[in-house]
């Protein structure tokens, strides 16, 4: 009986030890699993952070590329605009005849003597266009030819003109300068002021071709307006 009880006690102790060992092993296994899980999570987070960093860098590169493309497009448009401006300045002038005639119709008329700078390629052609338009508007107009090098129109009022790097005289805007014995507005002793032929022509050319230079010169024959053609600015 005692022997049986002894075996039972030993068996109970063995079972207890076995249970303790199993629990301990399970605890160790759980700790190892936890460490592996944490290591996996840390590795995954690191990889995610690295991927996000690469993504941010890629987005920054894309944004930079877009900015560079936009800047290049802006430079190209600016270059095209400057090229068009150069072409408009060096190319032959095409006068909108209908517009110019329409602006002069019904206004005071005069006679126009047209001269052009000898170094302006389209001087004569521009003069002929002006003659045709002015005659249609009721003016008397003719082309006198190139301005002589010693002409007072080039020397007596240099502030009216600008010169390029080569010293060539250039006009303003349209490239035209008007010289007339009368001013912009005529003010009689009595009655309202009225627009002169000089002012009408100056305004019509400005609206159809671009701004003009001009001055009055009492020595010019009354009833005559000189139209001088220079290079355009």
């Amino acid at each position: 009986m005692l022997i049986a009880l002894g075996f039972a006690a030993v068996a109970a102790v063995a079972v207890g030890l076995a249970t303790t060992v199993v629990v301990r092993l399970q605890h160790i296994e759980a700790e190892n699993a936890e460490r592996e899980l944490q290591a996996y999570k840390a590795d995954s987070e690191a990889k995610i952070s690295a991927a996000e960093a690469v993504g941010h860098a890629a987005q920054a590169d894309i944004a930079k590329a877009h900015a560079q493309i936009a800047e290049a497009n802006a430079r190209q448009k600016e270059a095209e605009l400057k090229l068009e401006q150069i072409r408009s300045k060096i190319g032959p002038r095409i006068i909108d005849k209908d517009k110019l005639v329409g602006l002069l119709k019904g206004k005071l008329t005069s006679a126009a003597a047209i001269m052009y700078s000898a170094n302006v390629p389209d001087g004569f052609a521009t003069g002929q266009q002006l003659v045709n338009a002015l005659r249609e508007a009721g003016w008397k107009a003719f082309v006198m030819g190139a301005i002589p090098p010693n002409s007072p129109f080039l020397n007596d009022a240099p502030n009216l003109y600008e010169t390029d790097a080569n010293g060539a005289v250039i006009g303003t805007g349209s490239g035209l300068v008007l010289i007339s014995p009368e001013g912009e507005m005529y003010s009689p002793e009595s009655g309202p002021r009225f627009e002169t032929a000089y002012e009408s022509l100056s305004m019509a050319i400005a609206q159809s071709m671009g701004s003009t230079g001009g001055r009055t010169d009492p020595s010019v024959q009354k009833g005559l307006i000189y139209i001088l053609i220079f290079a355009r600015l």
Side-chain angles (χ1 to χ4, degrees):
M1 180 68 176
L2 291 175
I3 295 173
L5 290 173
F7 280 120
V10 171
V13 171
V15 170
L17 289 174
T19 301
T20 300
V21 170
V22 169
V23 171
R24 180 57 181 167
L25 290 175
Q26 288 177 341
H27 183 69
I28 292 172
E29 184 177 355
E31 288 179 348
N32 290 337
E34 179 65 19
R35 281 195 296 270
E36 290 178 358
L37 176 61
Q38 294 301 325
Y40 176 77
K41 288 173 63 178
D43 182 62
S44 297
E45 290 174 356
K47 289 180 179 179
I48 292 172
S49 297
E52 288 178 345
V54 171
H56 292 319
Q59 289 178 354
D61 290 340
I62 292 172
K64 183 178 180 180
H66 283 311
Q68 291 174 340
I69 291 172
E71 183 180 355
N73 288 336
R75 287 200 302 268
Q76 181 181 357
K77 290 181 179 179
E78 182 180 1
E80 290 174 351
L81 178 60
K82 289 182 178 179
L83 179 60
E84 185 59 32
Q85 291 173 341
I86 292 173
R87 285 175 177 169
S88 68
K89 291 177 182 178
I90 64 176
R93 276 164 276 210
I94 306 298
I95 298 176
D96 188 338
K97 179 182 174 183
D98 293 338
K99 184 174 184 179
L100 180 58
V101 171
L103 291 167
L104 291 173
K105 279 289 188 180
K107 304 292 181 65
L108 288 178
T109 63
S110 182
I114 301 169
M115 302 179 74
Y116 53 88
S117 175
N119 61 359
V120 177
D122 69 336
F124 178 77
T126 302
Q128 285 299 125
Q129 293 182 75
L130 285 169
V131 165
N132 295 335
L134 289 173
R135 286 179 177 175
E136 189 170 324
W139 285 58
K140 296 177 181 179
F142 56 94
V143 177
M144 293 183 62
I147 303 173
N150 60 346
S151 170
F153 291 146
L154 297 178
N155 302 319
D156 64 356
N159 61 306
L160 289 180
Y161 314 105
E162 294 185 33
T163 58
D164 61 17
N166 298 320
V169 176
I170 54 180
T172 58
S174 64
L176 304 186
V177 175
L178 309 183
I179 299 180
S180 169
E182 59 185 356
E184 294 183 356
M185 300 293 289
Y186 177 69
S187 300
E189 294 182 0
S190 62
R193 302 173 70 193
F194 60 87
E195 189 177 87
T196 65
Y198 169 80
E199 184 180 22
S200 298
L201 180 59
S202 179
M203 293 177 63
I205 291 176
Q207 293 179 45
S208 60
M209 296 180 62
S211 61
T212 66
R215 65 180 177 84
T216 58
D217 185 344
S219 66
V220 174
Q221 178 183 336
K222 187 172 179 60
L224 180 66
I225 298 174
Y226 282 96
I227 303 177
L228 309 180
I229 303 173
F230 298 102
R232 286 167 291 178
L233 290 177

